[in-house]
Amino acid sequence: MALKSTIFKANLAVADIDHNYYADHALTLARHPSETDERMMIRLVALALNAYKLQDVCHGDGTLAFGAGLSNPDEPDLWLRDFTGEIKLWIEVGQPEDKPIIKACGRADEVIVYCFNHAAEIWWRGIENKLTRPQNLSVFRVPTLASQSLAALAQRSMQLQATVQEGALMLGDGTHSIDIELVRLK
């Protein structure tokens, strides 16, 4: 018998000072049985960092939603689609293979990969040369200490505040907060 996903609910208040975007997002996250709390929270971080694109790219007429991710390799972890269904933003979390990333670059206007954990640098060194061509690809590394700290915020029901200022994210639950300064790899 297959294991079922664990459902998490999050109310995420985003204050993106860099992009003048302020909104509340009521989210449902399905954590795949093989997914860790750390990875699930990186997906949430990716949403917080890119929520402003709902306004800037889709002018409020689109959806920013979690994809099937681990359950379906043809869907991203997070995507932004406009009202016509066109994929404006494709986000992958972790250390994906080069071929799916290149395929995503052909399907979406913009592709972002958020890699994390201690092996991210090794993964990037092994894949970097294969990803030089796509101009619509960005790759960021979430520092290991920050990504590991995110797991502590994971609760079945979460009230989170995300503040983006000067490219950095501060994510907190009222008791604990984590500062995340991404490292741009591409």
Side-chain angles (χ1 to χ4, degrees), residues 90-146:
W90 182 292
I91 295 176
E92 291 289 339
V93 169
Q95 300 168 14
E97 301 281 326
D98 60 305
K99 288 183 177 134
I101 295 172
I102 292 168
K103 185 177 178 183
C105 288
R107 292 181 63 193
D109 293 352
E110 179 183 8
V111 176
I112 302 174
V113 176
Y114 292 97
C115 61
F116 63 98
N117 86 23
H118 62 280
E121 295 291 335
I122 297 165
W123 165 81
W124 180 244
R125 282 195 298 271
I127 201 170
E128 181 178 14
N129 291 336
K130 298 174 185 175
L131 298 175
T132 55
R133 291 183 104 188
Q135 297 300 308
N136 60 338
L137 173 65
S138 299
V139 179
F140 295 95
R141 182 179 187 280
V142 179
T144 303
L145 187 59

Coordinates of all heavy atoms in Angstrom, one line a residue, residues 90-146:
W90 N 8.9 28.6 -13.7 CA 9.0 27.2 -13.3 C 10.1 27.1 -12.2 O 11.2 27.6 -12.5 CB 9.4 26.4 -14.5 CG 9.5 25.0 -14.4 CD1 10.5 24.3 -13.7 CD2 8.7 24.0 -15.0 NE1 10.3 22.9 -13.8 CE2 9.2 22.7 -14.6 CE3 7.6 24.0 -15.9 CZ2 8.7 21.5 -15.1 CZ3 7.1 22.8 -16.3 CH2 7.6 21.6 -15.9
I91 N 9.7 26.6 -11.1 CA 10.7 26.6 -10.0 C 10.9 25.1 -9.6 O 10.0 24.4 -9.3 CB 10.2 27.4 -8.8 CG1 10.2 28.9 -9.1 CG2 11.1 27.2 -7.6 CD1 9.6 29.8 -8.1
E92 N 12.2 24.7 -9.5 CA 12.6 23.4 -9.0 C 13.3 23.6 -7.7 O 14.1 24.6 -7.5 CB 13.5 22.7 -10.0 CG 12.8 22.3 -11.3 CD 11.8 21.1 -11.1 OE1 11.9 20.4 -10.1 OE2 10.9 21.0 -11.9
V93 N 13.2 22.7 -6.8 CA 13.9 22.7 -5.5 C 14.7 21.4 -5.4 O 14.3 20.3 -5.8 CB 12.8 22.7 -4.3 CG1 13.5 22.5 -3.0 CG2 12.1 24.1 -4.4
G94 N 15.9 21.6 -4.9 CA 16.8 20.4 -4.7 C 17.9 20.4 -5.7 O 18.5 21.4 -6.1
Q95 N 18.2 19.2 -6.2 CA 19.3 19.0 -7.1 C 18.9 18.2 -8.3 O 19.2 17.0 -8.5 CB 20.5 18.3 -6.4 CG 21.0 19.1 -5.2 CD 21.9 18.3 -4.3 OE1 22.4 17.3 -4.7 NE2 22.2 18.8 -3.1
P96 N 18.1 18.8 -9.2 CA 17.5 18.1 -10.4 C 18.6 17.8 -11.4 O 19.7 18.4 -11.4 CB 16.5 19.0 -10.9 CG 16.9 20.4 -10.5 CD 17.6 20.2 -9.2
E97 N 18.3 16.8 -12.3 CA 19.1 16.5 -13.4 C 19.1 17.6 -14.4 O 18.2 18.4 -14.4 CB 18.7 15.2 -14.1 CG 18.6 14.0 -13.1 CD 20.0 13.4 -12.9 OE1 20.8 13.4 -13.9 OE2 20.2 12.9 -11.8
D98 N 20.1 17.6 -15.3 CA 20.2 18.7 -16.3 C 19.1 18.6 -17.4 O 18.6 19.7 -17.8 CB 21.6 18.7 -17.0 CG 21.9 17.4 -17.7 OD1 21.8 16.3 -17.1 OD2 22.2 17.5 -18.9
K99 N 18.7 17.4 -17.8 CA 17.8 17.3 -18.9 C 16.4 17.9 -18.6 O 15.8 18.6 -19.4 CB 17.7 15.9 -19.4 CG 18.9 15.5 -20.2 CD 18.9 14.1 -20.8 CE 20.1 13.9 -21.6 NZ 20.8 12.7 -21.3
P100 N 15.8 17.6 -17.4 CA 14.6 18.2 -17.0 C 14.6 19.7 -16.9 O 13.7 20.4 -17.2 CB 14.2 17.5 -15.7 CG 15.0 16.3 -15.6 CD 16.2 16.5 -16.4
I101 N 15.8 20.2 -16.4 CA 15.9 21.7 -16.3 C 15.9 22.3 -17.7 O 15.2 23.3 -17.9 CB 17.2 22.0 -15.6 CG1 17.2 21.6 -14.1 CG2 17.4 23.6 -15.6 CD1 18.5 21.7 -13.4
I102 N 16.6 21.7 -18.7 CA 16.7 22.3 -20.0 C 15.3 22.2 -20.7 O 14.9 23.1 -21.3 CB 17.7 21.5 -20.9 CG1 19.1 21.9 -20.3 CG2 17.6 21.9 -22.3 CD1 20.3 21.0 -20.8
K103 N 14.6 21.1 -20.4 CA 13.2 20.9 -20.9 C 12.3 22.0 -20.3 O 11.5 22.6 -21.1 CB 12.7 19.5 -20.6 CG 11.3 19.2 -21.2 CD 10.9 17.8 -20.8 CE 9.5 17.5 -21.3 NZ 9.1 16.1 -21.0
A104 N 12.4 22.3 -19.0 CA 11.6 23.3 -18.4 C 11.9 24.7 -19.0 O 11.0 25.5 -19.2 CB 11.9 23.3 -16.9
C105 N 13.2 24.9 -19.4 CA 13.6 26.2 -20.0 C 12.9 26.4 -21.3 O 12.7 27.6 -21.7 CB 15.1 26.3 -20.1 SG 16.0 26.5 -18.6
G106 N 12.6 25.3 -22.0 CA 11.8 25.4 -23.2 C 10.3 25.6 -23.0 O 9.6 26.1 -23.9
R107 N 9.8 25.3 -21.9 CA 8.4 25.3 -21.6 C 8.0 26.6 -20.9 O 6.8 27.0 -20.9 CB 7.9 24.2 -20.7 CG 8.0 22.8 -21.4 CD 7.6 21.7 -20.6 NE 6.2 21.8 -20.2 CZ 5.6 21.1 -19.3 NH1 6.3 20.2 -18.6 NH2 4.3 21.3 -19.0
A108 N 8.9 27.3 -20.2 CA 8.5 28.4 -19.3 C 9.4 29.6 -19.7 O 10.5 29.5 -20.2 CB 8.8 28.1 -17.9
D109 N 8.8 30.8 -19.4 CA 9.6 32.0 -19.7 C 10.8 32.2 -18.8 O 11.8 32.7 -19.2 CB 8.6 33.3 -19.4 CG 7.5 33.4 -20.5 OD1 7.5 32.6 -21.5 OD2 6.6 34.2 -20.3
E110 N 10.7 31.7 -17.5 CA 11.8 31.8 -16.6 C 11.8 30.5 -15.7 O 10.8 30.0 -15.4 CB 11.5 33.0 -15.7 CG 12.6 33.2 -14.6 CD 12.3 34.4 -13.7 OE1 11.2 35.0 -13.7 OE2 13.2 34.7 -12.9
V111 N 13.0 30.0 -15.5 CA 13.2 28.8 -14.6 C 14.2 29.2 -13.5 O 15.2 29.8 -13.8 CB 13.7 27.6 -15.5 CG1 14.0 26.4 -14.6 CG2 12.8 27.3 -16.6
I112 N 13.8 28.8 -12.3 CA 14.7 29.0 -11.2 C 14.9 27.7 -10.4 O 13.9 27.0 -10.2 CB 14.1 30.1 -10.2 CG1 13.9 31.4 -10.9 CG2 15.0 30.3 -9.0 CD1 13.2 32.4 -10.0
V113 N 16.1 27.4 -10.0 CA 16.4 26.2 -9.2 C 16.9 26.8 -7.9 O 17.8 27.6 -7.9 CB 17.5 25.3 -9.9 CG1 17.8 24.2 -9.0 CG2 17.0 24.8 -11.2
Y114 N 16.4 26.2 -6.8 CA 16.8 26.5 -5.5 C 17.4 25.2 -4.9 O 16.7 24.3 -4.5 CB 15.7 27.0 -4.5 CG 15.1 28.3 -4.9 CD1 14.0 28.5 -5.7 CD2 15.8 29.5 -4.5 CE1 13.5 29.7 -6.0 CE2 15.3 30.8 -4.8 CZ 14.1 30.9 -5.6 OH 13.6 32.1 -5.9
C115 N 18.8 25.2 -4.9 CA 19.4 24.0 -4.4 C 19.8 24.3 -2.9 O 19.9 25.4 -2.5 CB 20.6 23.6 -5.2 SG 22.0 24.8 -5.3
F116 N 19.9 23.2 -2.2 CA 20.2 23.3 -0.7 C 21.0 22.1 -0.2 O 21.1 21.1 -1.0 CB 19.0 23.6 0.1 CG 18.0 22.5 0.0 CD1 17.9 21.5 1.1 CD2 17.1 22.3 -1.0 CE1 17.0 20.5 1.0 CE2 16.2 21.2 -1.1 CZ 16.2 20.3 -0.1
N117 N 21.4 22.1 0.9 CA 22.1 21.1 1.7 C 23.6 21.1 1.4 O 24.1 21.7 0.4 CB 21.5 19.7 1.7 CG 21.8 18.8 0.5 OD1 22.9 18.9 -0.1 ND2 21.0 17.8 0.2
H118 N 24.4 20.3 2.1 CA 25.8 20.3 2.0 C 26.4 19.8 0.7 O 27.5 20.2 0.3 CB 26.4 19.5 3.2 CG 26.1 18.1 3.1 ND1 24.8 17.6 3.6 CD2 26.7 17.0 2.7 CE1 24.7 16.3 3.4 NE2 25.9 15.9 2.8
A119 N 25.6 19.1 -0.1 CA 26.1 18.5 -1.3 C 25.7 19.4 -2.5 O 26.0 19.1 -3.7 CB 25.5 17.1 -1.5
A120 N 25.1 20.6 -2.3 CA 24.7 21.4 -3.4 C 25.9 21.9 -4.2 O 25.8 22.0 -5.4 CB 23.9 22.6 -2.8
E121 N 27.0 22.3 -3.6 CA 28.1 22.8 -4.3 C 28.7 21.7 -5.2 O 29.1 21.9 -6.4 CB 29.2 23.2 -3.3 CG 28.8 24.5 -2.5 CD 28.7 25.7 -3.3 OE1 29.3 25.8 -4.4 OE2 27.9 26.6 -2.9
I122 N 28.7 20.4 -4.7 CA 29.2 19.3 -5.5 C 28.3 19.1 -6.7 O 28.7 18.9 -7.9 CB 29.3 18.1 -4.7 CG1 30.4 18.3 -3.6 CG2 29.7 16.8 -5.5 CD1 30.3 17.3 -2.5
W123 N 27.0 19.1 -6.5 CA 26.0 19.0 -7.5 C 26.2 20.0 -8.6 O 26.2 19.7 -9.8 CB 24.6 19.0 -7.0 CG 23.5 19.3 -8.0 CD1 22.9 18.3 -8.8 CD2 22.9 20.5 -8.4 NE1 22.0 18.9 -9.6 CE2 22.0 20.2 -9.4 CE3 23.0 21.8 -7.9 CZ2 21.2 21.2 -10.0 CZ3 22.3 22.8 -8.5 CH2 21.4 22.5 -9.5
W124 N 26.4 21.3 -8.2 CA 26.5 22.4 -9.1 C 27.8 22.2 -10.0 O 27.8 22.5 -11.2 CB 26.5 23.7 -8.4 CG 26.6 24.9 -9.4 CD1 27.6 25.8 -9.4 CD2 25.7 25.2 -10.4 NE1 27.4 26.7 -10.4 CE2 26.3 26.3 -11.1 CE3 24.6 24.7 -10.9 CZ2 25.7 26.9 -12.2 CZ3 24.0 25.3 -12.0 CH2 24.5 26.4 -12.6
R125 N 28.9 21.9 -9.3 CA 30.1 21.7 -10.1 C 30.0 20.6 -11.2 O 30.5 20.7 -12.3 CB 31.3 21.3 -9.2 CG 31.9 22.6 -8.5 CD 33.2 22.3 -7.8 NE 33.2 21.3 -6.8 CZ 33.0 21.5 -5.5 NH1 32.7 22.7 -5.1 NH2 33.0 20.5 -4.7
G126 N 29.2 19.6 -10.9 CA 29.0 18.5 -11.8 C 28.0 18.8 -13.0 O 28.0 18.2 -14.0
I127 N 27.1 19.8 -12.8 CA 26.1 20.1 -13.7 C 26.2 21.5 -14.4 O 25.6 21.7 -15.5 CB 24.7 20.0 -13.0 CG1 23.6 19.8 -14.0 CG2 24.4 21.2 -12.2 CD1 22.3 19.4 -13.4
E128 N 27.1 22.3 -13.9 CA 27.2 23.7 -14.3 C 27.5 23.8 -15.8 O 26.8 24.6 -16.5 CB 28.3 24.4 -13.5 CG 28.6 25.8 -13.9 CD 29.6 26.4 -13.0 OE1 30.4 25.7 -12.3 OE2 29.7 27.7 -13.1
N129 N 28.4 23.0 -16.4 CA 28.8 23.1 -17.8 C 27.6 22.7 -18.7 O 27.6 23.1 -19.9 CB 30.0 22.3 -18.1 CG 31.3 22.9 -17.4 OD1 31.3 24.1 -17.2 ND2 32.2 22.1 -17.2
K130 N 26.7 21.9 -18.2 CA 25.6 21.4 -19.0 C 24.5 22.5 -19.1 O 23.6 22.3 -19.9 CB 25.1 20.1 -18.5 CG 26.1 19.0 -18.5 CD 25.5 17.8 -17.8 CE 26.6 16.7 -17.7 NZ 26.1 15.5 -16.9
L131 N 24.5 23.5 -18.2 CA 23.5 24.5 -18.1 C 23.9 25.9 -18.5 O 23.3 26.9 -18.1 CB 22.9 24.5 -16.7 CG 22.3 23.2 -16.2 CD1 21.9 23.2 -14.8 CD2 21.1 22.8 -17.1
T132 N 24.9 26.0 -19.4 CA 25.4 27.3 -19.7 C 24.5 28.0 -20.8 O 24.4 29.2 -20.9 CB 26.8 27.2 -20.3 OG1 26.9 26.3 -21.4 CG2 27.8 26.9 -19.2
R133 N 23.8 27.2 -21.6 CA 23.1 27.7 -22.8 C 21.8 28.4 -22.4 O 21.5 29.5 -22.9 CB 22.8 26.7 -23.8 CG 24.0 26.2 -24.5 CD 23.7 25.2 -25.6 NE 23.7 25.9 -26.9 CZ 23.4 25.3 -28.0 NH1 22.9 24.1 -27.9 NH2 23.5 26.0 -29.1
P134 N 20.9 27.8 -21.5 CA 19.6 28.5 -21.2 C 19.8 29.9 -20.6 O 20.4 30.0 -19.5 CB 19.0 27.5 -20.3 CG 19.7 26.2 -20.4 CD 21.1 26.6 -20.8
Q135 N 19.3 30.9 -21.3 CA 19.4 32.3 -20.8 C 18.3 32.6 -19.8 O 18.4 33.6 -19.1 CB 19.3 33.2 -22.0 CG 20.5 33.1 -23.0 CD 21.8 33.3 -22.3 OE1 22.1 34.3 -21.7 NE2 22.7 32.3 -22.5
N136 N 17.3 31.8 -19.8 CA 16.2 32.0 -18.8 C 16.3 31.2 -17.6 O 15.3 31.1 -16.8 CB 14.8 31.8 -19.5 CG 14.7 30.3 -20.0 OD1 15.6 29.6 -20.2 ND2 13.4 29.9 -20.2
L137 N 17.5 30.7 -17.2 CA 17.7 29.9 -16.1 C 18.5 30.7 -15.0 O 19.5 31.3 -15.3 CB 18.4 28.6 -16.4 CG 18.9 27.7 -15.3 CD1 17.7 27.2 -14.5 CD2 19.8 26.6 -15.8
S138 N 18.0 30.6 -13.8 CA 18.7 31.1 -12.6 C 18.9 30.0 -11.6 O 17.9 29.2 -11.4 CB 18.0 32.3 -11.9 OG 17.8 33.4 -12.8
V139 N 20.0 29.9 -10.9 CA 20.3 28.9 -9.9 C 20.7 29.6 -8.7 O 21.7 30.4 -8.7 CB 21.3 27.8 -10.4 CG1 21.5 26.8 -9.3 CG2 20.8 27.2 -11.7
F140 N 20.1 29.3 -7.5 CA 20.4 29.9 -6.3 C 20.7 28.7 -5.3 O 20.1 27.7 -5.3 CB 19.3 30.7 -5.7 CG 19.0 32.0 -6.5 CD1 18.1 32.0 -7.5 CD2 19.8 33.1 -6.3 CE1 17.8 33.1 -8.3 CE2 19.5 34.2 -7.1 CZ 18.6 34.2 -8.1
R141 N 21.6 29.0 -4.3 CA 21.9 28.0 -3.3 C 21.4 28.6 -2.0 O 21.8 29.8 -1.6 CB 23.4 27.7 -3.2 CG 23.7 26.7 -2.1 CD 25.2 26.4 -2.1 NE 25.6 25.4 -1.3 CZ 25.7 25.5 0.1 NH1 25.5 26.6 0.7 NH2 26.0 24.4 0.8
V142 N 20.6 27.9 -1.2 CA 20.2 28.3 0.1 C 21.3 27.8 1.1 O 21.6 26.6 1.1 CB 18.8 27.7 0.5 CG1 18.4 28.1 1.9 CG2 17.8 28.1 -0.5
P143 N 21.9 28.6 1.8 CA 23.0 28.2 2.7 C 22.5 27.1 3.6 O 21.4 27.0 4.1 CB 23.3 29.4 3.5 CG 23.0 30.6 2.6 CD 21.7 30.1 1.9
T144 N 23.4 26.1 3.9 CA 23.1 24.9 4.6 C 22.5 25.1 6.0 O 21.4 24.6 6.4 CB 24.3 24.0 4.8 OG1 24.8 23.7 3.4 CG2 24.0 22.7 5.5
L145 N 23.1 26.0 6.8 CA 22.6 26.3 8.1 C 21.1 26.9 8.1 O 20.3 26.5 8.9 CB 23.5 27.3 8.9 CG 23.2 27.5 10.3 CD1 23.2 26.2 11.1 CD2 24.2 28.5 10.9
A146 N 20.9 27.8 7.1 CA 19.6 28.4 7.0 C 18.5 27.3 6.6 O 17.4 27.2 7.1 CB 19.6 29.5 6.0

